[in-house]
Amino acid sequence: MRKLSKSARNSFINYGIVLVFFLVFQIMLSMGKLSSSFSGQLIPICTYVIMAVSLNLVVGISGELSLGHAGFMSVGAFSGVVMASCIQNVVGPSWLRLALSILVGALCAAVAGTIIGIPVLRLRGDYLAIVTLAFGEIIKNVLNCLYVGVDSHGLHISMKDAVSLGMEADGITIINGPMGALGIRKISTFISAVVLVLIVLFIIQNLVNSRSGRAIKAIRDNRIAAESCGINVMKYKMMAFVVSAAAAGAAGALYALNYSTVVPKKFDFNTSILILVFVVLGGIGNLRGSMIAAAVLTVLPEMLRQFQDYRMLIYAVVLILVMILTNNRRAKDALGRIKDTVFRRNRLQEADK
Amino acid sequence: MLNYLINGISLGSVYAIIALGYTMVYGIAKMLNFAHGDVIMVGGYISFCATSYLGLPVIPSVLLSIFVCTVLGIVIERLAYKPLRAATSLAVLITAIGVSYFLQNAALLIWSSNPKAYPNMVALPPLAIGNTQISAVSLVTIIACIVIMVALTLFTNKTKMGKAMRAVSEDKDAAQLMGINVNATISLTFAIGSGLAAVAGVLLCSAYPTLMPTTGAMPGIKAFTAAVFGGIGSIPGAMLGGILLGIIEIFGKAYISTQLSDAIVFSVLILILLVKPTGLLGRKISEKV
């Protein structure tokens, strides 16, 4: 058998983890062993896994701190919902409708990513971070004033109110300003969510391990050195940013089509931060870490239910403690010493045998 | 028109006071203190409790709130940020977010999510100039802002502690070699920033009298934007950025669209940063190869 390279092996392990996750929960689901609150979490988990992996492409691989990732998610969510409503009676099978909606969501988010990326990627460090934050807020604010309806003449868009859409009598309002999208048909399924996770993982892992991926990492490590080697900095930064935005858009469409209503406020600064927390806790630049952190931290508040009102407080304390334990030199040394003694004991025992 | 301008300057003064806290902490500790907005909220609640439950008069309750926030700032710095002095800035950022969650949820448990009606702390008649009326809250806010600005400038330029602060923000290691107690200086910065946050909390809640655990979040983000706008790390920059941001927001609300006012504020920020990538008064950092 041909020996796989380390990166390829890593990629296959990641696909394997996703497949095992899918099989375990699918079997539990069919046996009825999952509580309803937990089975309702399955699609959000997949969504957040995609969000975390795609944000990691920007924060970890490309090395730019982005605080507005939820903005792309909301662009994808609302364009996906509009697409799904438009082709409701045209396209028969629901999986095809879902696939087309996700595709449209990804495309719209990619366009948004391109428009935003051109000015944003010229800035550096904290200034770049604050501008992505600003764009996230702008997207939320604009979607809050957006009204979209569909009737026999096609799409109607207004920034004022639902009445000024000027629709025929048979028209349906799809997006209703601050109330968001109402009456969405739930067409997302767990299987489709897992398939989307695999597709996004495939695209991002192949990008990271390709020639372009190496160029992106070179820019992250030393922009000036990379530039002097003839790497087009803007092109590769844009590549990472737009691919990440598209993946977030796809995740947004998947997420929105899992609920009957979605409001623009859902995708605010706090959601962006939540996803950033997944990325940082999972390990910056480590895709597998992002996946696991996203899944665990999405479920964690549910598991802390028994603490009721205290659960978010505990979540906050856990977050602070994990950051201190993994980043403080003294704490790290102490952990390392514990590990050493444990391992040494094991080794001694093995030697005894 | 003049009324809008005064409202804008008054709102901008609140942003400026908050932005000073952000910018000082950033200048010294090189970290984005996302929990700053929530310290404002705590300041609001403390002064609310002091007047409504303890029946204290205005000035002692404001002083109490400043005191509590100052202590809170020092405690947060000691427990959460000090262990991470050598860590990457992203790790500190996430910790700050953790602190922010903690404060918001602690406030949720203590004071519940029901909005509280904040009492008017500045019960003075409005000032009439010609046919425009300036509310007392706006006037007090603007005056407070000017006083704070002057005091801070004097403090950083004239006193020994202020000099130490500037030295630490310039170069931490060199400052330590010169015998400056870096940890104490950083604590002092957090103390001043949090005390200012308490003042901002009282002023903000007097102007917009609903108090909730999430009250501080949005003004916090906007003040942070203001600090970047003026060039983060620069004290006059924070002042200028805050006031401009307030004016833009009020004029955007009045003349363009109420719903889109936040979008307008952030768009202006983006435009400014495209022209001047380090903010209005920020220093340009040249890169070493």
Side-chain angles (χ1 to χ4, degrees), chain A residues 189-202:
Chain A
T189 54
F190 183 40
I191 299 176
S192 58
V194 170
V195 170
L196 187 63
V197 171
L198 286 175
I199 294 173
V200 169
L201 259 185
F202 178 78

Side-chain angles (χ1 to χ4, degrees), chain A residues 270-290:
Chain A
N270 288 327
T271 309
S272 300
I273 290 295
L274 190 73
I275 299 157
L276 185 66
V277 168
F278 299 155
V279 171
V280 176
L281 279 187
I284 292 164
N286 185 337
L287 295 180
R288 193 180 305 151
S290 297

Side-chain angles (χ1 to χ4, degrees), chain A residues 4-13 205 209:
Chain A
L4 289 169
S5 71
K6 196 176 160 204
S7 58
R9 205 165 53 222
N10 254 328
S11 306
F12 280 109
I13 291 174
Q205 284 181 339
N209 296 327

Side-chain angles (χ1 to χ4, degrees), chain A residues 87-109:
Chain A
I87 56 173
Q88 185 101 54
N89 305 317
V90 186
V91 181
S94 68
W95 66 266
L96 190 60
R97 261 184 290 152
L98 180 66
L100 285 174
S101 309
I102 288 175
L103 198 65
V104 168
L107 280 178
C108 290

Side-chain angles (χ1 to χ4, degrees), chain A residues 1-78:
Chain A
M1 200 178 112
R2 192 167 56 88
K3 208 167 175 214
L4 289 169
S5 71
K6 196 176 160 204
S7 58
R9 205 165 53 222
N10 254 328
S11 306
F12 280 109
I13 291 174
N14 288 350
Y15 303 138
I17 291 172
V18 176
L19 283 176
V20 169
F21 165 83
F22 168 68
L23 285 176
V24 166
F25 284 105
Q26 190 61 35
I27 289 167
M28 279 172 83
L29 207 59
S30 57
M31 282 161 57
K33 286 232 163 131
L34 285 181
S35 66
S36 64
S37 75
F38 194 89
S39 58
Q41 291 280 309
L42 289 175
I43 294 175
I45 288 175
C46 293
T47 315
Y48 285 123
V49 165
I50 299 172
M51 291 300 290
V53 168
S54 63
L55 183 63
N56 208 339
L57 179 63
V58 173
V59 176
I61 310 296
S62 173
E64 312 282 10
L65 178 57
S66 165
L67 297 176
H69 209 49
F72 299 123
M73 192 182 179
S74 89
V75 169
F78 285 99

Side-chain angles (χ1 to χ4, degrees), chain A residues 124 126 130 141 223 284 328, chain B residues 26 83 90 224 259 262 287:
Chain A
R124 286 193 207 125
D126 297 324
I130 192 79
N141 222 298
R223 193 181 56 84
I284 292 164
N328 183 276
Chain B
Y26 183 87
L90 209 54
F224 173 42
Q259 286 169 316
D262 287 352
E287 270 176 278

Side-chain angles (χ1 to χ4, degrees), chain A residues 65 119 123-124 126-127 130-131 133 135 137 141 145 223 269 273 280 284 309-310 312-313 316 323-324 327-328, chain B residues 26 34 83-84 90-91 95 97-98 102 105-106 109 221 224 228 232 259-260 262-263 266 270 273 277-278 287:
Chain A
L65 178 57
L123 300 166
R124 286 193 207 125
D126 297 324
Y127 293 96
I130 192 79
V131 170
L133 189 165
F135 268 117
E137 290 297 313
N141 222 298
C145 315
R223 193 181 56 84
F269 176 62
I273 290 295
V280 176
I284 292 164
D309 296 343
Y310 294 95
M312 283 314 288
L313 208 61
M323 288 325 288
I324 292 179
N327 284 289
N328 183 276
Chain B
Y26 183 87
F34 264 107
L84 294 172
L90 209 54
T95 313
I97 290 161
F102 182 85
N105 287 290
L109 283 179
I221 293 178
F224 173 42
V228 175
I232 197 155
Q259 286 169 316
L260 285 174
D262 287 352
F266 288 119
I270 292 167
L273 283 187
T278 50
E287 270 176 278

Side-chain angles (χ1 to χ4, degrees), chain B residues 108-130:
Chain B
L108 197 68
L109 283 179
I110 300 171
W111 290 295
S112 88
S113 60
N114 298 336
K116 301 251 189 294
Y118 197 79
N120 190 0
M121 288 281 183
V122 194
L124 296 169
L127 183 72
I129 301 174

